[in-house]
Amino acid sequence: MTDAMDFLRAGAAALQRGDRAGAERRIVRALALVPGHGECWNILGVLAVSAGDPAGGEARFRRASVCAPDNPNYLRSQAECLKRQGRADRAAGLLAGAVRRGVLSPDLACDLGDLRLGARDGAAVALYRLALALAPGHARSLNNLAEVLGKAERPDVAADAFARLAVLRGTAAAWGAAGAALLAAWRQDEARVALRRAVALDPSTAEHWANLGFAGLGRHAVALAEVAFDRALRLSPGMDTARAGRGTLRMLNGRLRAGAADYEARLSLPTFQPSRSYSRPVWDGRVQPGKTLLIHADRGHGDAIQFIRYAPLLRARGMRVAFLGPEGLLDLFRASELVDDLSGLDGPPPAHDLQIPIMSLIHRMGTDLDSVPAAVPYLRAPDAAARRWADRLAGLPGLKAGLVWHGSVAFPYHRQRSPGFEAVRPLTGVPDVTAVLLQVAHGHSDPERLRPLGPVLDLGTELRDFADIAAAIQALDIVISPCTAVAHLAGALGKSVAVLLDQGAEWRWMFGRTDSPWYPTARLYRQSVFGDWSEPVDRLCRDLSAMTAT
């Protein structure tokens, strides 16, 4: 045995020196003395793989595993050779069998997790967690777990995993990844801490600065955001993410013209790519009488409602205007006589010469704070629907207040902007006010669990589209909503609207204002403490009481 071990040590030393031939001679001599020595077969497997022979390596690693069935490293090496031969299913089966037999290590569990990433049963997540149970600081499992959770749209859990990894590794890259994951989970305060660490460790990475800008933007920390976006663009002048972020910040601060120009950079980002391609040229802002401009809107309903106001201005200057957008807006826009032609997103677009995304109109029309086209109403409900809803709501006692408490869940921002019914429930108890519930879809059933405090009329199941919602709103005295399409709709109808805003509200409501240049009939009720809706709701309750007293 002593001679065999001497040959083994000599073979391992030769392998480290890069002397593959010398290593193989010594290992073969060791095996002649001890044929069942697993480490000898392992070294021969390494030699085969380094020579570009994964099949030969797999055979040798299999022999090593037979000699030492409880050694997880031999099984891992065998599985890797199978993967290199395109036999990933066989590799996964091999490692899964080892786990069932109790042959475990963090690396083996992580390897098997990697092989199960395509499975729909969550096996990869379970295996990464198994690896972390065996070794809580296992960095590769933490990293892979965070990534798979992020792709599975579990941003909070992914963010926690990346944050643990950052503490473990302590590098700028790890803190930057944690900051990005925390941003994706809309945890801006934690993201800001992580990203400050990232830029302190490595101030030369533009991506960390850009993400720090977004973390500041999400809490209206405008000075921090401005410094961060500018630094990102100095480091990487072509970074469209940072340029679009700076555009948002400038519009938030009322610098609409400069901000809208920067915000055009969003169109190069995957998130903002149109859902279909257009063969006609993008409109450059020059009015061309007689030409048809297609305005297309395939993102939020609120965007379409806010910016369709430009269509009548263009028609007045001689252009034809067509609209392509969500089906639920078509009857409303048709009744409002805003455009010459319109079509839903599922159908072919109307004939046109030029085209533009609806959010780009603010830039192409050269809008600045003193030139916002703010004449309202520019929308109106269809006559038949208006008469029907006016009759339906005519007999309600007191002040008729439409109430919405939740925005669309299609955007992660909904958790920050939506107060939920529990937070707005005090508004249902204001004397001489009847709350007309306009909430549809997500959150509609909340009053079944939390009984309103006063008289309410729930219309949520009766409102078919935005034409219906507009007709109901026209019959109300005021609408109360967070940052949702209903808030935009009420403003576009010229109806009094109280908008409940979180501390990091979108740029369109601007910074620190209680009024809106876009909607003259709007009053803004902002959080003073992030996540606390009680103070703005209390103020609104007092204002509603004052309205009923006049």
Side-chain angles (χ1 to χ4, degrees), residues 1 72 132 145 148 197 217 253 261 282 287 347 416 481 547:
M1 177 65 74
L132 290 167
L145 175 64
V148 73
R197 292 183 179 178
L217 190 62
N253 274 329
V282 177
V287 174
Q416 181 169 316
S481 173
M547 290 174 66

Side-chain angles (χ1 to χ4, degrees), residues 20 194 198 216 228 288-289 333 336 401 408 410 453 508 525:
R20 290 201 297 269
Q288 301 179 50
F333 284 7
S336 302
S408 168
L453 301 176
R508 65 195 79 213
Y525 293 80

Side-chain angles (χ1 to χ4, degrees), residues 116-432:
R116 296 300 302 272
L117 276 175
R120 296 182 180 180
D121 57 2
V125 170
L127 287 159
Y128 293 140
R129 286 182 169 150
L130 172 61
L132 290 167
L134 297 168
H138 195 253
R140 186 161 62 94
S141 294
L142 267 174
N143 183 78
N144 295 358
L145 175 64
E147 289 186 359
V148 73
L149 289 171
K151 291 175 182 176
E153 298 182 354
R154 297 177 64 186
D156 273 319
V157 185
D160 289 337
F162 274 118
R164 287 172 59 195
L165 189 64
V167 171
L168 182 69
R169 288 184 169 167
T171 63
W175 283 113
L182 289 160
L183 269 182
W186 285 93
R187 290 157 59 178
Q188 288 97 332
D189 293 331
E190 295 168 82
R192 194 161 60 232
V193 172
L195 291 162
R196 283 188 185 277
R197 292 183 179 178
V199 298
L201 291 165
D202 177 14
S204 65
T205 300
E207 183 180 359
H208 299 338
W209 285 107
N211 283 337
L212 182 58
F214 284 109
L217 190 62
R219 290 289 186 272
H220 285 191
V222 294
L224 168 66
E226 185 170 13
V227 168
F229 285 134
D230 285 348
R231 184 68 173 271
L233 288 168
R234 282 200 301 274
L235 291 166
S236 180
M239 189 178 191
D240 287 336
T241 305
R243 190 164 302 279
R246 188 176 71 177
T248 304
L249 176 67
R250 287 176 167 178
M251 291 191 289
L252 179 73
N253 274 329
R255 298 167 61 192
L256 296 184
R257 189 186 295 266
D262 270 349
Y263 193 55
E264 287 297 283
R266 79 193 184 282
L267 296 173
S268 71
L269 306 176
T271 305
F272 291 92
Q273 291 297 308
S275 59
R276 59 169 33 157
S277 59
Y278 298 89
S279 59
R280 299 298 185 181
V282 177
W283 184 51
D284 62 5
R286 291 183 295 120
V287 174
Q288 301 179 50
K291 296 290 187 181
T292 299
L293 173 65
L294 175 69
I295 298 171
H296 47 92
D298 60 359
R299 288 178 62 78
H301 292 83
D303 293 342
I305 291 169
Q306 181 174 8
F307 296 111
I308 198 63
R309 69 181 70 214
Y310 287 104
L313 304 181
L314 290 165
R315 295 175 75 198
R317 295 166 69 178
M319 294 191 76
R320 293 187 76 256
V321 177
F323 174 77
L324 180 74
E327 291 282 349
L329 291 173
L330 299 188
D331 286 346
L332 174 64
F333 284 7
R334 189 178 292 113
S336 302
E337 300 179 349
L338 291 167
V339 295
D340 297 285
D341 200 358
L342 72 175
S343 177
L345 290 172
D346 292 336
H352 59 283
D353 305 296
L354 305 158
Q355 52 87 17
I356 191 168
I358 197 165
M359 288 283 286
S360 292
L361 286 170
I362 183 174
H363 169 55
R364 296 302 181 187
M365 296 293 283
T367 304
D368 219 332
L369 194 56
D370 58 1
S371 62
V372 170
V376 294
Y378 57 86
L379 294 181
R380 70 170 185 269
D383 291 340
R387 288 192 298 271
R388 183 172 69 254
W389 284 104
D391 291 344
R392 172 78 187 281
L393 301 179
L396 293 179
L399 188 80
K400 297 187 282 288
L403 182 60
V404 174
W405 53 88
H406 212 295
S408 168
V409 298
F411 306 102
Y413 175 48
H414 79 86
R415 291 183 296 172
Q416 181 169 316
R417 68 170 170 170
S418 299
F421 182 71
E422 183 175 5
V424 304
R425 185 168 172 251
L427 295 167
T428 66
V430 178
D432 300 318

